[in-house]
Amino acid sequence: MSKPDYLLFDRNTKAIFWNLNRNAIQRMLDYDYVVGREPSVVAIVAPTQSRKFDKFFYGTNEIMIPIYRSTPEAAKDFPEADVLLNFASFRTAYDVTMEALDIPTIRTIAITAEGIPERFARTMRIKAKELGKWLIGPATVGGIAPGAFRIANTGGTIENIVNSKLHRPGSVGLVTRSGGLFNELSNVIARNANGIAEGIAIGGDRYPGTDFLDHMLRYEKNPQVKFMVLLGEVGGTLELRVAEAIKEGKITKPVIAWCIGTISKHFGGEVQFGHAGAKAGAEAETADAKNAALREAGALVPTSFNELPELIRGVYEELHAKGEIPDIVEPEVPPIPEDYAKAVKAGKVRRPTNFICTISDDRGEEATYCGVPISEVVEKGYSIADVIGLLWFKKKFPEWASNFLDMVIKVVADHGPAVSGAHNTKVTARAGKDLMSSIVTGILTIGPRFGGAIDGAAKYFKMAKEKGMDPVEFVDYMKKVEKIPIPGIGHRIKSTKNPDKRVELLKNFAKEHFPSTELLDYALEVEKVTTSKKENLILNVDGTIGVLLVDMFRALGYKDEEIDELINAGAFNAFFVLGRTIGFIGHYLDEKRLDMPLYRHPTDDILYDVKRPEGA
Amino acid sequence: MAQRGIREYDGKRILAQNWEDYFGDAFSYDFKSVLITPETDLDRLPEEHPWLKETPLVAKPDMLFGKRGKLGLILFKKEKPGDVSWEDAKEWIKQKMAEEVEINGVKGYLTHFLVEPFVPHQPEEEYYVAITTDEDEDIIYMSAFGGIDVEENWDKVVEVRIPINASDEEIKKLIEENVPADIKDREKYADFVYRLYKLFKDLHFTYLEINPLVIVGDKVYPLDFVGRVDDTAQFVAGRKWGELDFPAGFGRELTPEEKYIKEMDEKSGASLKLTILNPEGRIWTLVAGGGASVVYSDTVADLGAVKELANYGEYSGNPTRAETREYVKTVFDLMTRNKHPEGDKILIIGGAIANFTDVAKTFEGIIDAMKEYADKLKDVGIKVYVRRGGPNYEIGLKRIKEAAEELGIPIEVYGPETHMTEIVKKAIEENKVA
């Protein structure tokens, strides 16, 4: 499996990717799929991620790639990975590189960050050289070994990769500084020759980890490379080293070279062309001087960038005619499945949805409640009841309805510690449980016997009224047919002589503000019948709320069937659940404040009646 | 960016602010310097710095250019050295600020001055030290013959190369072994240079020169200071630098349009650059990408049309539609100010094959600007040449072609099948430029 020294990447190269850069990793896997190799990214390092893996596509299938907190951990599990793709920011890229250089299994590190301090770049560079390792970058897109391995985003989109023949090896070794022109040159080489065998963009910084010559010396040894293309830049002396190496015979394969930035001679040092680092410090560093030096050394140098394609074509055709460059059988390219999101955007696919939501939307600039942005809810002074209107009923309630609901919530918020829900909450809190567990034990007691009378009252009174039963008839019906006490009628202590003040307030409010209180009036007629039998069989607070909610929804334009649907869905009960949760939370917090110990019910409060079963 | 020159004042201030950490136990430095700008209230300055009125002074411009002594721009004497008072310095500065001067062929006004106490000393006390960076080494230059003639005496300068990963002991040894013989207290000088080098490294200087450097006993007088720092190290050394500004070179005033684009660039995550080379030129460029923009400029020059090249600029890093529109409008505004005597103006909309920039999207911004400036563009006469590749380039090219044709603007569009700079050749040949 081991590859010759002159190759940094082959079809088996495995890489560790530093930073959870989903797009870049996916692009690498897409490339792997297109060239028919197994996934090249074996591990991701992301120190701040708590997840253990992430999913990516390989063709149409999904694969899992493990995420590690540190490079040494990843390298320990994947000793076969000899490439680290360092996508850390300019702040951390240096530390990541220095740490990785000490890991024996890592041989090549590509650094993308721009803006790494020069002293750091120099320190990384010399350490790598001493250890005989390869740094590509900083400030680069990386490079590509067509048909074998692609560094992150190099080559752009898959369409461009295929158009520029970056999916299978050609015969040209390419070196450039920046990534933008790397793409362009790959394209030129694909159109005028048979594509590149390997290409590296060394990066735009003053002190690249490895330079043109380092890679060209590899290309010299690589039998796949038949000639080389070097795209240099004004500033620095890296291209002069290449000229020197050609002269000394260290590079014997044909080299086509061009340094960009010839314009600068026309404007002296006054104008900064291109990268900040691309500035000639001395005459020898100008593009013209370097082009001349390369030409003199024996490289093929065009007269302008515009002539570059012809020159490449010329060399290619000559070598091809001599039989040094064989013909390439173009491989089949499997289509890359289009990303669903992209296809949707382009209007190419459709899919039925699994869920529907008609009450809120979080997709835009700001989340909305039934179309109203939350900021507007706040700015326009919506009450909690108004928000309930939007989210529960998709209505902007009129003021009287909002005020009524507000009153309902206030009235039902608590009823002391002894009722089943509050009691449960307290006992659970005292068992040391958290807020959620404690209030849930309270809420779970809400039902037909506790708090459920609102629904019941609404249901039966409404039914009776609709069927045209007179109050006496209704009371009779409940007793003989339904065989239950009328929900919403009756109180433990309150009576006609000692009326419930909460009920009085609700009734008075409704009389004053509701457009109609038809069902309340009916319920009060029923109350007259029941209280004539027993004084405490009054219309209680649950009953009042139940019938008034029916009146309210009717006034808001709901049809009878719609109101039945609401009741059956539990919407009326919901007001009690919401209101009483306020009380439960209060009891829970009270317990936490008091720090009471675990509750154990006294045995003398329990009737023990335990008998052995027969035969046991 | 990269290496940036800093003012002499800031260099000395940084020395003073970090003195305790680097020199405190062995040397002392009585930092007395003030930076004077056109905004400085000269009459109130002595309240803050009483020494201005108590000691003879030296005044000089502090604007990154050197050879001030030879340019006659250092005030240290009227009759004899050391007789310059605050009043004299003030008058001199006011006068110098008012008159246009020419420095190294660039005309402009002096705006920033440094004033400090005059330090009487003998020429033989003037030492020299400079530190610079090379690939794998830093280089320290040391000499006993400092002052304005150091270049004439360059043969007496000792050069020491310090490997960048050398240990403290190695550094110390290399410096001590190489201190020039003519320095009186060699041990002291070596100790100072060693400490200065540590500061140089820690604070990410890329160049530092003190000339002359006077050391009397434990007292250090850095009489002149030239420094450059690596501005990308802000996140490492920013605290030690303190508030540091990176002035443009002398006389490099930006035009309002260049300034507008520069401000936009600073606010944006994208890159937007514009330099006006010749506002009367015939060939205007709108090129995406730092490398490609240079290639287009090169090609215009290589094909002999450099005198008609009106601007250099680039936009890259995925600018928004609005940013692109503003950028393009700025160029259109400049190119439609007057007609060219020899014919239509030429607009090159170029770029390499984009990696991931959505070409169709960025072209929307150009089309917006084109619509707004259609009448002016037609008045002045214009021919547009487009070449671009990358994601959605087909749609982008189609839309820009349709938009231009609808507006009655002549346009030719090409994709990646055409060589990047072929449109430059076409434009120059078809319009008989050059």
Side-chain angles (χ1 to χ4, degrees):
Chain A
M1 289 284 265
S2 92
K3 52 184 175 280
D5 271 354
Y6 58 75
L7 286 186
L8 297 182
F9 316 107
D10 65 11
R11 281 177 72 84
N12 297 309
T13 297
K14 304 274 195 311
I16 296 169
F17 204 105
W18 206 101
N19 215 353
L20 181 52
N21 186 324
R22 291 197 48 94
N23 286 339
I25 295 169
Q26 186 58 59
R27 283 173 190 138
M28 285 183 72
L29 297 178
D30 285 347
Y31 183 78
D32 296 340
Y33 179 75
V34 163
V35 305
R37 58 159 288 170
E38 58 184 67
S40 55
V41 180
V42 291
I44 295 162
V45 181
T48 54
Q49 276 285 334
S50 55
R51 301 171 54 193
K52 296 274 187 285
F53 66 87
D54 206 342
K55 293 189 304 169
F56 293 88
F57 282 110
Y58 175 69
T60 49
N61 295 328
E62 282 186 289
I63 58 164
M64 280 161 57
I65 300 181
I67 299 177
Y68 291 82
R69 292 297 189 95
S70 78
T71 318
E73 284 173 78
K76 198 169 147 254
D77 284 2
F78 293 95
E80 71 275 24
D82 68 348
V83 174
L84 178 78
L85 302 178
N86 181 353
F87 262 62
S89 77
F90 66 94
R91 286 169 187 275
T92 37
Y94 170 70
D95 294 329
V96 170
T97 304
M98 292 302 270
E99 179 183 54
L101 283 171
D102 284 327
I103 299 170
T105 50
I106 291 177
R107 178 179 175 232
T108 305
I109 303 172
I111 308 160
T112 43
E114 254 178 77
I116 295 177
E118 288 175 5
R119 183 159 294 275
F120 290 169
R122 293 161 68 210
T123 309
M124 299 191 289
R125 174 192 147 86
I126 198 159
K127 180 163 178 173
K129 287 221 147 88
E130 281 171 3
L131 294 166
K133 297 193 173 191
W134 292 82
L135 288 189
I136 300 171
T140 179
V141 65
I144 192 164
F149 184 82
R150 165 195 196 177
I151 296 178
N153 297 317
T154 309
T157 57
I158 286 292
E159 295 77 39
N160 186 61
I161 287 205
V162 174
N163 288 339
S164 299
K165 306 261 187 287
L166 293 172
H167 62 301
R168 55 102 182 114
S171 305
V172 183
L174 171 66
V175 275
T176 70
R177 258 194 183 274
S178 72
L181 290 173
F182 183 91
N183 241 5
E184 188 65 38
L185 264 284
S186 303
N187 179 50
V188 167
I189 293 168
R191 286 174 190 281
N192 296 284
N194 66 353
I196 66 172
E198 193 188 327
I200 300 286
I202 64 166
D205 278 5
R206 186 184 289 248
Y207 299 109
T210 47
D211 59 50
F212 299 129
L213 182 58
D214 295 322
H215 296 287
M216 291 173 82
L217 290 174
R218 287 197 299 110
Y219 297 165
E220 173 73 17
K221 287 188 212 141
N222 182 353
Q224 177 75 38
V225 174
K226 305 300 180 192
F227 69 101
M228 306 180 209
V229 174
L230 156 69
L231 188 73
E233 217 172 90
V234 57
T237 56
L238 300 179
E239 296 84 353
L240 297 177
R241 288 182 198 170
V242 176
E244 205 57 34
I246 297 174
K247 260 196 215 160
E248 288 168 4
K250 287 183 191 157
I251 294 177
T252 57
K253 293 179 183 175
V255 173
I256 297 170
W258 178 249
C259 294
I260 68 168
T262 53
I263 181 77
S264 63
K265 64 174 172 285
H266 298 285
F267 297 93
E270 295 305 301
V271 183
Q272 173 72 52
F273 289 95
H275 304 122
K279 200 163 179 176
E283 178 53 32
E285 296 183 15
T286 62
D288 282 338
K290 291 197 280 191
N291 282 330
L294 284 160
R295 194 177 287 125
E296 197 218 300
L300 299 159
V301 180
T303 49
S304 86
F305 185 84
N306 210 42
E307 315 298 319
L308 203 50
E310 269 171 57
L311 202 51
I312 292 170
R313 179 175 289 273
V315 173
Y316 171 74
E317 282 175 354
E318 194 190 323
L319 294 176
H320 185 252
K322 278 195 223 160
E324 286 180 33
I325 295 179
D327 286 320
I328 292 176
V329 183
E330 295 294 342
E332 283 271 323
V333 179
I336 268 287
E338 197 163 349
D339 268 343
Y340 181 71
K342 232 173 142 186
V344 169
K345 214 174 149 191
K348 286 188 195 158
V349 292
R350 60 188 182 187
R351 188 179 71 102
T353 51
N354 281 311
F355 284 94
I356 304 172
C357 172
T358 66
I359 61 164
S360 60
D361 192 340
D362 58 342
R363 291 169 304 173
E365 285 278 307
E366 193 185 334
T368 60
Y369 296 160
C370 202
V372 183
I374 298 177
S375 63
E376 193 181 320
V377 167
V378 174
E379 279 166 4
K380 295 208 170 149
Y382 279 43
S383 67
I384 298 287
D386 289 329
V387 172
I388 291 173
L390 293 176
L391 290 175
W392 291 10
F393 306 106
K394 308 204 287 172
K395 285 245 183 304
K396 171 72 181 83
F397 282 154
E399 204 183 340
W400 61 267
S402 284
N403 288 347
F404 171 68
L405 293 179
D406 197 40
M407 218 161 141
V408 168
I409 291 164
K410 283 183 205 164
V411 161
V412 303
D414 194 45
H415 207 258
V419 297
S420 65
H423 178 78
N424 261 15
T425 301
K426 288 173 80 70
V427 171
T428 312
R430 286 179 62 169
K433 300 301 293 278
D434 58 299
L435 174 93
M436 283 313 300
S437 312
S438 304
I439 64 173
V440 157
T441 61
I443 290 171
L444 289 176
T445 66
I446 297 172
R449 296 187 181 174
F450 172 52
I454 293 176
D455 274 1
K459 182 175 157 192
Y460 287 110
F461 282 105
K462 180 166 174 291
M463 179 272 297
K465 179 86 189 7
E466 272 165 29
K467 289 202 171 156
M469 295 181 185
D470 69 45
V472 178
E473 215 178 318
F474 173 52
V475 173
D476 213 39
Y477 166 83
M478 290 305 287
K479 196 174 167 186
K480 295 199 175 130
V481 181
E482 295 288 338
K483 295 187 176 120
I484 51 164
I486 304 171
I489 293 285
H491 197 275
R492 206 161 45 81
I493 34 181
K494 297 289 176 190
S495 66
T496 38
K497 297 211 181 79
N498 174 21
D500 186 334
K501 200 155 178 215
R502 298 173 299 171
V503 173
E504 297 303 303
L505 285 167
L506 289 167
K507 281 198 290 194
N508 293 342
F509 181 87
K511 287 279 168 212
E512 196 176 329
H513 298 286
F514 275 38
S516 149
T517 56
E518 225 183 324
L519 194 61
L520 173 69
D521 298 341
Y522 177 75
L524 291 175
E525 289 304 312
V526 174
E527 185 189 42
K528 276 184 197 158
V529 178
T530 52
T531 49
S532 68
K533 295 180 177 170
K534 214 170 165 203
E535 273 205 338
N536 68 341
L537 289 181
I538 52 165
L539 180 67
N540 62 26
V541 73
D542 292 349
T544 313
I545 291 170
V547 297
L548 279 177
L549 282 172
V550 174
D551 282 335
M552 182 188 91
F553 282 109
R554 206 170 264 153
L556 291 173
Y558 281 73
K559 294 195 197 85
D560 281 333
E561 314 82 75
E562 288 173 329
I563 296 173
D564 288 339
E565 271 171 32
L566 287 181
I567 296 170
N568 291 336
F572 282 28
N573 200 20
F575 289 104
F576 181 79
V577 175
L578 176 70
R580 188 51 62 91
T581 302
I582 298 173
F584 293 162
I585 292 173
H587 288 294
Y588 167 81
L589 294 174
D590 200 31
E591 284 297 346
K592 289 289 140 180
R593 244 186 329 260
L594 297 166
D595 198 18
M596 290 285 280
L598 178 68
Y599 176 75
R600 190 186 167 86
H601 204 66
T603 49
D604 62 3
D605 190 41
I606 299 168
L607 164 65
Y608 292 90
D609 179 23
V610 186
K611 291 184 186 107
R612 257 178 116 94
E614 272 176 47
Chain B
M1 287 299 281
Q3 303 187 2
R4 308 281 295 265
I6 61 169
R7 294 190 200 282
E8 178 179 350
Y9 169 81
D10 279 322
K12 290 177 175 175
R13 176 185 58 73
I14 289 172
L15 269 191
Q17 275 172 9
N18 294 282
W19 196 264
E20 271 308 305
D21 293 345
Y22 289 91
F23 305 96
D25 51 338
F27 295 95
S28 69
Y29 172 33
D30 187 15
F31 172 64
K32 281 193 180 113
S33 296
V34 288
L35 183 67
I36 289 168
T37 72
E39 285 81 47
T40 310
D41 183 346
L42 292 177
D43 297 323
R44 290 196 47 194
L45 209 55
E47 288 171 30
E48 257 177 82
H49 305 281
W51 54 266
L52 284 171
K53 289 201 154 174
E54 292 157 6
T55 156
L57 300 172
V58 179
K60 51 190 170 182
D62 190 0
M63 299 178 68
L64 304 193
F65 60 86
K67 305 242 176 352
R68 292 166 296 184
K70 291 191 173 163
L71 289 164
L73 286 173
I74 298 183
L75 176 71
F76 65 102
K77 68 171 180 183
K78 280 188 301 180
E79 311 285 317
K80 57 179 178 29
D83 64 353
V84 175
S85 71
W86 169 237
E87 291 305 319
D88 300 330
K90 214 162 70 175
E91 281 320 302
W92 184 77
I93 289 169
K94 278 185 189 166
Q95 180 207 328
K96 292 288 169 200
M97 276 187 180
E99 64 195 30
E100 195 182 45
V101 291
E102 188 174 324
I103 313 278
N104 304 328
V106 181
K107 282 184 183 165
Y109 286 88
L110 297 171
T111 51
H112 289 66
F113 286 83
L114 181 68
V115 177
E116 19 186 55
F118 173 80
V119 179
H121 63 277
Q122 300 304 313
E124 58 270 23
E125 290 176 313
E126 292 193 339
Y127 293 161
Y128 175 85
V129 61
I131 314 174
T132 183
T133 57
D134 196 5
E135 221 161 38
D136 297 334
E137 293 158 329
D138 294 320
I139 309 169
I140 303 181
Y141 298 98
M142 303 184 283
S143 172
F145 302 93
I148 56 173
D149 295 326
V150 70
E151 278 170 31
E152 283 80 351
N153 290 312
W154 198 251
D155 55 325
K156 300 198 179 84
V157 173
V158 178
E159 176 186 313
V160 197
R161 288 186 162 260
I162 315 270
I164 140 158
N165 51 359
S167 69
D168 285 356
E169 288 70 39
E170 287 164 338
I171 296 168
K172 210 171 227 163
K173 198 161 158 259
L174 277 168
I175 294 172
E176 279 166 3
E177 282 173 0
N178 287 286
V179 172
D182 295 311
I183 283 172
K184 268 188 231 143
D185 190 342
R186 296 180 66 221
E187 211 175 294
K188 200 91 210 169
Y189 178 89
D191 187 28
F192 178 76
V193 172
Y194 169 71
R195 288 159 186 268
L196 187 69
Y197 177 63
K198 294 270 278 186
L199 174 136
F200 175 91
K201 265 171 79 163
D202 287 357
L203 272 64
H204 289 261
F205 274 90
T206 57
Y207 184 74
L208 189 160
E209 179 190 81
I210 301 178
N211 178 39
L213 164 69
V214 173
I215 304 179
V216 182
D218 292 342
K219 288 202 173 86
V220 177
Y221 302 96
L223 295 185
D224 190 2
F225 186 106
V226 180
R228 275 203 309 273
V229 301
D230 177 358
D231 71 349
T232 59
Q234 173 72 39
F235 73 100
V236 193
R239 243 165 40 98
K240 291 190 171 186
W241 291 344
E243 207 168 296
L244 188 56
D245 90 294
F246 300 111
F250 173 77
R252 287 274 180 78
E253 304 261 317
L254 298 177
T255 67
E257 292 81 14
E258 291 170 334
K259 219 168 139 188
Y260 176 67
I261 298 299
K262 186 164 180 266
E263 281 164 10
M264 227 161 77
D265 181 47
E266 281 161 3
K267 277 184 229 139
S268 164
S271 169
L272 301 160
K273 304 269 183 293
L274 177 65
T275 305
I276 297 156
L277 302 172
N278 171 19
E280 308 298 322
R282 225 178 134 185
I283 303 174
W284 293 77
T285 60
L286 287 173
V287 182
S293 61
V294 176
V295 171
Y296 277 95
S297 303
D298 281 356
T299 309
V300 171
D302 292 340
L303 299 180
V306 67
K307 65 175 192 338
E308 292 296 345
L309 182 59
N311 71 318
Y312 168 74
E314 63 111 358
Y315 63 97
S316 58
N318 219 0
T320 64
R321 180 174 177 167
E323 283 169 341
T324 312
R325 184 183 62 225
E326 286 309 302
Y327 180 82
V328 176
K329 273 167 65 184
T330 308
V331 173
F332 283 175
D333 180 58
L334 285 161
M335 73 183 289
T336 55
R337 286 188 189 167
N338 39 47
K339 289 194 176 191
H340 195 281
E342 280 158 40
D344 290 344
K345 297 213 172 168
I346 294 158
L347 177 66
I348 305 276
I349 300 178
I353 299 169
N355 276 304
F356 296 103
T357 305
D358 187 332
V359 173
K361 224 169 87 190
T362 48
F363 273 19
E364 291 300 323
I366 301 180
I367 294 169
D368 289 345
M370 217 182 243
K371 283 183 181 158
E372 264 185 66
Y373 271 79
D375 293 340
K376 286 187 177 175
L377 289 169
K378 280 187 281 182
D379 280 351
V380 79
I382 180 179
K383 190 124 197 263
V384 185
Y385 295 83
V386 185
R387 192 277 186 180
R388 185 76 160 127
N392 285 327
Y393 80 90
E394 296 99 329
I395 303 171
L397 291 178
K398 187 167 163 263
R399 286 197 192 142
I400 203 167
K401 189 163 197 273
E402 283 169 0
E405 281 169 357
E406 210 163 287
L407 297 168
I409 296 171
I411 188 166
E412 291 179 26
V413 304
Y414 302 92
E417 68 290 343
T418 301
H419 186 47
M420 201 170 101
T421 45
E422 197 56 31
I423 56 168
V424 177
K425 199 176 167 200
K426 261 182 187 300
I428 288 176
E429 281 173 3
E430 287 177 12
N431 297 281
K432 300 186 178 63
V433 188

